[in-house]
Amino acid sequence: MNPARQMWRIVEPLHAVLYYAPEVYDEAKQLGYPVDVRWPSYFAWRAAPLGAAGAAAVTSAFYSFSPRMVAEHVPAAWQVSTPAAVLERRRPAIDRALRALLGDTVDGPEVAEAAALARRAAEAADTAGRPLAAANRDLGWSGVPHVDLWQAATLLREHRGDGHIAAALTAGFGPCELLVSFAAAGAAPAEVFASRGWTPEEWSAARDSLTARGWLRPDGTPTEAGAAARAELESRTDTLAAAPWRELGPATGRFAQLTGPLAARIAASGLLPKQSTLGMGAPAPGPQ
């Protein structure tokens, strides 16, 4: 497996704790966000590093969400709490969540070593043209190893995601088309991707567009050309995500040795959904 892709599979579960852990929902509730549904706090937690960004900016950075869905939550999120207040609570939320998930492990020397390696990789990430990665880099470090491990994982994840968007644009996949192609590749049922807010009509239009381009068959399965286009998109994403791991060099293996079990423990906890737009069960990383 490509090293950048292998590292994504380790980094993604760590990052995703922010969107599913009950401790994070508790912090969101204290900030004033409704927590009976996922999305109000999701948009606040993830977009806060951008500052009080409007709907157009967040739609651009998140890419595969329907603009209409983003507009339901942004800028309304900043009327509930300010980005600064959200960021102030993000680290305590992660501290609580990781302590609940990993127990005393978070205070051990192996987590401290993993955090140092992750920070080294994250600081090697080129953030030019990568707004979410750059915004997370500006936040700096807490000095608490397990929190910094999460922060580095988040920066690396958003670095990859920003590159994935660039690769999608280069390949010619529009936002909804990106999801349609990922569902067609068997990442998850199409119904799972409905969480991104596209209407059935918009989904059908994107599918029709890919079919007209010769990338999907009438039954919705990928053609040879469509599979090749998707494979090229993923290969370019891996290439664009490779620099931090080249910087880490042979120590990448040590990072995987230290962090892989933590990611596996998070995955085994049942916290993360088995099928989601994260694409963790897919043959290749998908929509960011």
Side-chain angles (χ1 to χ4, degrees), residues 9 177-193 203 210 215-217 219-223 226-227 230-231 234 274-287:
R9 294 188 180 279
E177 292 172 342
L178 188 63
L179 299 182
V180 171
S181 70
F182 197 42
E191 293 77 13
V192 172
F193 294 95
W203 186 271
L210 294 175
W215 287 358
L216 289 183
R217 299 185 180 91
D219 65 359
T221 58
T223 63
R230 184 80 208 191
E234 300 298 352
K274 292 183 179 179
Q275 289 185 322
S276 78
T277 56
L278 296 176
M280 292 306 295

Side-chain angles (χ1 to χ4, degrees), residues 69-91:
M69 180 177 181
V70 177
E72 291 176 6
H73 300 287
V74 178
W78 316 134
Q79 296 169 5
V80 176
S81 189
T82 66
V86 171
L87 290 172
E88 185 179 355
R89 299 311 305 164
R90 201 164 81 154
R91 285 173 175 168

Side-chain angles (χ1 to χ4, degrees), residues 39-140:
W39 298 113
S41 61
Y42 172 91
F43 280 97
W45 291 126
R46 189 176 177 208
L50 296 171
V58 174
T59 298
S60 173
F62 287 15
Y63 196 67
S64 62
F65 282 88
S66 158
R68 182 181 50 259
M69 180 177 181
V70 177
E72 291 176 6
H73 300 287
V74 178
W78 316 134
Q79 296 169 5
V80 176
S81 189
T82 66
V86 171
L87 290 172
E88 185 179 355
R89 299 311 305 164
R90 201 164 81 154
R91 285 173 175 168
I94 289 300
D95 173 50
R96 290 178 58 196
L98 289 182
R99 288 187 180 280
L101 285 163
L102 304 177
D104 293 341
T105 302
V106 298
D107 295 317
E110 291 189 340
V111 167
E113 183 182 354
L117 291 171
R119 177 172 173 176
R120 180 178 154 196
E123 289 178 340
D126 180 4
T127 56
R130 303 189 198 231
L132 284 170
N136 276 279
R137 170 172 283 177
D138 277 345
L139 301 179

Side-chain angles (χ1 to χ4, degrees), residues 140-185:
W141 306 97
S142 70
V144 179
H146 62 282
V147 176
D148 283 347
L149 176 60
W150 178 87
Q151 179 65 28
T154 294
L155 198 161
L156 290 163
R157 191 271 182 190
E158 297 293 25
H159 174 266
R160 182 184 180 90
D162 289 337
H164 187 70
I165 292 170
L169 288 166
T170 302
F173 286 97
C176 190
E177 292 172 342
L178 188 63
L179 299 182
V180 171
S181 70
F182 197 42

